[in-house]
Amino acid sequence: MAFEQVNGKVVRTQVAPGQEIIARRGAMLGYDGQVTFRPIAGQGQGVGGVVGRAMTGESVKMMVTEGTGSVYYGWRGLYVSIIELTGDSLTVEADRLLAHDANLQISLETIGAGGVGQAVRGAMTGQGLFTSRVSGHGSVALLSHGGTFPLHLSGETVGVDPQAYVGHVGALTVQLKASVGFRELTGRGSGEAFQLHVSGHGTVHVQASEKKF
């Protein structure tokens, strides 16, 4: 079930049997109809159970929205962007997930799975040690500072500020590049000593701010 953008910071979706939604706990702003909200336990079964297990050890607590009706979601006044997946995968920091269709598959990767480069990227962005992979057919609502814009790649390489990176869809490789010289060490550099180099085929989503998430 697709999300509808109400404004830059609020989305709405329809919930029905077989069309449940997974969302951050506390993200519900309002609803109408016969809708209930159930927290996801770390070892839960059924709808949301896989997500609960994936998020074990992660600070993001999730809930299942069930029933019949429409629900409004938002989080702390942050901007919300909608991404539609059509059988592909979205790689995104776990704490940027606001809500998504319950039928999407979620896996959680630690920085160890991405090697040193991803570990450094996590430290630079301040976004934690976990990266989520969301796969399947459905909608995902992501949080950002200032909204997001897409960069579409068809084999080329683009540079992205580590603190502005939100996530990516497609067959993309993300590597942290450092160019630390004398000017950076003495505080007289450009302030862009670290960059993410993204290459391949897909779309990288960038937020309109370098503010840490």
Side-chain angles (χ1 to χ4, degrees), residues 169-213:
V169 177
L172 295 177
T173 300
V174 181
Q175 296 181 316
L176 183 76
K177 299 293 184 179
S179 57
V180 181
F182 176 77
R183 294 181 65 84
E184 280 74 23
L185 292 175
T186 57
R188 293 181 293 170
S190 65
E192 306 293 344
F194 292 93
Q195 299 177 7
L196 294 179
H197 284 193
V198 186
S199 58
H201 293 77
T203 302
V204 57
H205 297 271
V206 184
Q207 71 175 18
S209 169
E210 294 182 352
K211 186 175 181 180
K212 291 183 179 181
F213 196 73

Side-chain angles (χ1 to χ4, degrees), residues 59-70:
S59 61
V60 180
K61 296 181 179 180
M62 309 296 283
M63 65 181 180
V64 181
T65 305
E66 303 170 305
T68 303
S70 60

